[in-house]
Amino acid sequence: MSRILYPIIATALVTIAPFLLTFEKGQNVVHGLLCYSIFGLLLLFVYVRESQAKSKKVCLALIAVLVAATSFLDLKNILSANHGNLSWYWIIPLVSTAIAIVLLKETRKISLNGISFIMFVSMGVNIVAANFFPSQPVFEMPVLRFMTSSFRAPSERIGLTEDLKKRYNAVDSAMVSRLYVDSSRNNVMILVESWGIPIDTNFFNDEMKIFEGCLNFAGTHSRIYSRTRGAEREDLVDSIIKNENGSRDSVFIPAVLSNKGFKSVFMFGGDSSIQHRDRYIHRMGFDEVVFTKEISSDSVIALKIDSMLKDSTSKTFVAWTTRDTQFPMGDDAATVEKIYFEKMFNTLKIVAELAKKHPETRFIVQGDHEPILSPQEFRQKFYRRWVPYVVLN
């Protein structure tokens, strides 16, 4: 067992160290737990070390260099994804590689057939796990990620065009919802799953047309992190305060409105364990948190909100995260594009119809992130970390 255990531990060290030590620069990146190529190289290192080859020292040195180079490439991928500078981080691959090789000191020789079998099974585990946990891959592929980002990522994804900034007020801040909450009436805050800003403005213009008749204001803003749970926290923050001990703490909109006599409710058409909402939603000051045991479509949740607004005898604040446009939707970019826009237009129409039914209620609708879990070819059609928001009624 130690023949595999120590190489796994050593691989985890080399893989995770750059991700963790870059702090916030790595939190926005979907990253594997183990680097596939480094795992194979470390297994090969053990094999060569125990062999009788004449050029053993040269081969071991070459493998160590390849491990460090692959780790450095992974580090570059993390930093480039967040536009971070290399700074002192270049030393991380060198140190982690050295420690990993020391960890392999007691590992016994593994045959080439054994290495081939282990790598084959590892790839199978990665593929199977991806179907259940698409947002957390088991293995990282630094070389493939580097090639994909180098040859496919258009530079225009980084920032909005000047025309788009003028047409839709661009705000370089995630905390915009608190600016539009109206404490004199009911408020519904809706976070639309995977609603990003398409580079093709025709799609974006068509989305905005859905809200004609109830649109009060339309804008765009940037996200700090491309994660739904991060967007839920950002949108629901009212202010950030300093405690007596100097630490920072967040004051959330539901708690503020509850103190003003509002009934505050959070709604999601799924189980509370999704996105680990059971760990933080209850701490935001909601009077009521509604999850469903089975998956509920956006139309079903919209009906629940419609009834709530009709029957409410006090001012109400509702926060709803949609889910119909949740990924994955497939592997073929063309098919995903067709399905995505069909679902997105349907969800936005549901929201618009709900707002038109309740003109006395303020609706604040935002995207959580661009389609980050979609095929790379389709994801490149959206501005990176920019999302739209609309204020209705």
Side-chain angles (χ1 to χ4, degrees):
M1 185 65 183
S2 61
R3 295 185 184 186
I4 302 177
L5 181 60
Y6 281 105
I8 289 177
I9 295 174
T11 303
L13 169 68
V14 179
T15 306
I16 298 174
F19 184 78
L20 294 181
L21 293 177
T22 51
F23 299 103
E24 291 187 357
K25 295 184 183 301
Q27 293 177 19
N28 175 42
V29 181
V30 176
H31 195 272
L33 301 174
L34 304 171
C35 177
Y36 188 75
S37 51
I38 289 177
F39 185 44
L41 286 169
L42 291 179
L43 290 173
L44 189 61
F45 182 91
V46 174
Y47 170 80
V48 173
R49 188 190 60 196
E50 301 300 324
S51 70
Q52 303 299 320
K54 294 181 181 180
S55 56
K56 180 167 65 174
K57 291 184 178 179
V58 175
C59 291
L60 290 176
L62 179 60
I63 293 172
V65 169
L66 288 174
V67 171
T70 305
S71 179
F72 182 79
L73 191 63
D74 188 30
L75 173 65
K76 288 283 290 181
N77 291 340
I78 294 170
L79 294 175
S80 62
N82 294 280
H83 307 291
N85 296 321
L86 186 60
S87 183
W88 60 271
Y89 297 129
W90 63 270
I91 200 173
I92 298 174
L94 301 180
V95 175
S96 60
T97 299
I99 297 175
I101 290 175
V102 172
L103 286 174
L104 298 178
K105 185 178 180 180
E106 303 299 328
T107 306
R108 290 182 294 167
K109 182 180 178 180
I110 306 173
S111 67
L112 285 177
N113 287 338
I115 293 174
S116 299
F117 178 74
I118 291 170
M119 298 306 291
F120 175 76
V121 172
S122 298
M123 180 56 71
V125 169
N126 185 66
I127 293 172
V128 172
N131 291 313
F132 294 95
F133 309 101
S135 62
Q136 180 53 71
V138 176
F139 283 96
E140 180 68 17
M141 310 287 183
V143 177
L144 292 178
R145 187 188 288 269
F146 175 78
M147 293 175 66
T148 300
S149 61
S150 297
F151 300 110
R152 285 190 179 182
S155 59
E156 61 266 23
R157 284 193 69 212
I158 298 173
L160 303 180
T161 63
E162 290 302 318
D163 178 62
L164 197 58
K165 287 181 179 180
K166 291 178 181 177
R167 293 180 62 189
Y168 302 101
N169 181 45
V171 181
D172 191 15
S173 171
M175 295 172 59
V176 298
S177 53
R178 62 194 177 98
L179 303 175
Y180 299 100
V181 172
D182 188 345
S183 59
S184 66
R185 52 177 170 160
N186 293 338
N187 289 261
V188 177
M189 187 180 297
I190 303 173
L191 188 66
V192 180
E193 174 67 40
S194 300
W195 189 24
I197 302 177
I199 294 177
D200 185 345
T201 54
N202 290 326
F203 285 114
F204 191 45
N205 292 336
D206 288 341
E207 290 174 344
M208 291 298 105
K209 288 179 182 177
I210 293 173
F211 300 109
E212 288 181 349
C214 60
L215 182 62
N216 185 294
F217 185 84
T220 58
H221 68 99
S222 62
R223 288 292 188 194
I224 298 175
Y225 306 120
S226 295
R227 297 292 177 90
T228 303
R229 58 180 176 269
E232 286 176 340
R233 291 188 181 95
E234 291 168 359
D235 293 352
L236 291 169
V237 168
D238 179 79
S239 60
I240 297 176
I241 60 174
K242 273 193 176 183
N243 295 323
E244 293 180 356
N245 58 7
S247 62
R248 301 174 70 188
D249 199 4
S250 299
V251 178
F252 293 98
I253 294 173
V256 173
L257 292 181
S258 292
N259 291 333
K260 294 181 179 180
F262 278 75
K263 178 185 178 181
S264 58
V265 182
F266 175 84
M267 305 193 72
F268 177 71
D271 190 80
S272 63
S273 62
I274 299 174
Q275 293 284 348
H276 302 295
R277 289 184 174 89
D278 52 342
R279 299 181 183 178
Y280 62 88
I281 286 295
H282 294 82
R283 301 176 184 175
M284 293 182 175
F286 286 102
D287 298 313
E288 184 180 352
V289 176
V290 178
F291 293 102
T292 58
K293 293 182 179 179
E294 297 182 355
I295 295 175
S296 297
S297 67
D298 292 344
S299 59
V300 170
I301 301 299
L303 285 174
K304 292 179 180 293
I305 296 175
D306 180 31
S307 299
M308 189 181 303
L309 294 174
K310 286 179 180 177
D311 301 336
S312 177
T313 56
S314 62
K315 287 189 290 188
T316 303
F317 172 77
V318 179
W320 168 33
T321 300
T322 70
R323 63 165 303 149
D324 281 4
T325 49
Q326 182 177 332
F327 280 85
M329 296 181 184
D331 298 320
D332 178 67
T335 303
V336 168
E337 180 172 347
K338 181 176 182 296
I339 296 173
Y340 170 82
F341 281 112
E342 284 180 355
K343 289 186 174 183
M344 183 57 69
F345 281 124
N346 184 62
T347 292
L348 296 182
K349 286 177 182 176
I350 290 171
V351 171
E353 289 171 2
L354 182 62
K356 290 173 182 176
K357 281 184 180 180
H358 300 276
E360 76 289 347
T361 299
R362 164 62 54 87
F363 284 77
I364 305 167
V365 189
Q366 307 181 74
D368 58 353
H369 51 68
E370 78 271 25
I372 57 173
L373 296 180
S374 64
Q376 187 76 7
E377 185 179 344
F378 178 61
R379 182 180 177 182
Q380 300 297 342
K381 295 182 178 182
F382 291 81
Y383 288 103
R384 181 175 171 272
R385 288 167 64 177
W386 282 91
V387 295
Y389 69 96
V390 293
V391 179
L392 310 177
N393 300 335

